[in-house]
Amino acid sequence: MPTVHARPYDFPFDPAHTAVVMIDMQRDFLEPGGFGAMLGNDVSLLRPIVPACVRLLALARAKGMAVIHTQEAHDAQLADCPPSKRARGALSCGIGDPGPLGRVLVAGEPGAGFVPELLPQPGDVVLRKPGKGAFHATSLDAILHAQGITHLLIGGVTTEVCVQSTMREANDRGYECLLVTDCAASYFPQFHAAVVEMMVAQGGIVGWAAPLAEIERAFA
């Protein structure tokens, strides 16, 4: 089995039982005019991880690992969007409202789509989620069990919100998770660094962390 040199200790995994989970690499979070920008964030801080994410997905497909893309997006009626979520930020243009990239975080709108470099490929799974964690109100657990997945390599945005939430949910369900550190990012670099430390603290209380180069080296 490949073994990744990771923190807090080595992470062995069987590619046949491993999935790459790419969290919310959507235009609404990474492009000007999207929800991330409306919240007052500098979306350019997320763009540098895109090339590494492309490499990770290419490696996963080449090695026969499952690939799952999550997409935070609500139905057109916002029936799956709690009022408390929509009210966050007291924005003049918030979830469900018309914006530069279409209705904000609504399935089927341009902003809810993935950035061009990371469009899902045939054989990938696309999982729409209404919340921050990818297991909440989705079939992700059933999908993973059906494919015999036990290990997850996780990337995406943002590290302290949807990535961390998903990793904690997965840990509670018994999955072994590795955060690919240079395939995840935050609008606040200090938050990204803090989450990495939280994941690997206390002997890996939530999981492991390593850069993409260590995963590539494990296969080499």
Side-chain angles (χ1 to χ4, degrees), residues 153-166:
L153 307 179
I154 299 176
V157 297
T158 60
T159 313
E160 78 279 8
V161 185
C162 296
V163 173
Q164 177 179 203
S165 294
T166 296

Side-chain angles (χ1 to χ4, degrees), residues 13 34 43 52 66 88 95 115 118 122 132 149-150 158 160 178 184:
F13 66 100
V43 295
R88 287 292 186 271
I95 295 173
V115 297
L118 295 169
K132 297 173 178 65
I149 301 298
T150 57
T158 60
E160 78 279 8
L178 183 144

Side-chain angles (χ1 to χ4, degrees), residues 21-61:
V21 181
M22 191 60 62
I23 306 290
D24 300 357
M25 293 296 285
Q26 298 162 237
R27 297 180 64 196
D28 258 330
F29 298 126
L30 278 85
E31 293 186 7
F35 189 52
M38 290 177 190
L39 289 168
N41 299 304
D42 179 0
V43 295
S44 70
L45 293 172
L46 305 188
R47 292 295 306 180
I49 70 168
V50 170
C53 292
V54 171
R55 283 165 48 205
L56 176 60
L57 293 181
L59 179 65
R61 295 178 184 120

Side-chain angles (χ1 to χ4, degrees), residues 190-212:
Q190 68 272 27
F191 290 178
H192 173 86
V195 169
V196 172
E197 296 307 314
M198 285 189 281
M199 299 299 99
V200 303
Q202 302 177 75
I205 193 167
V206 178
W208 289 258
L212 176 60

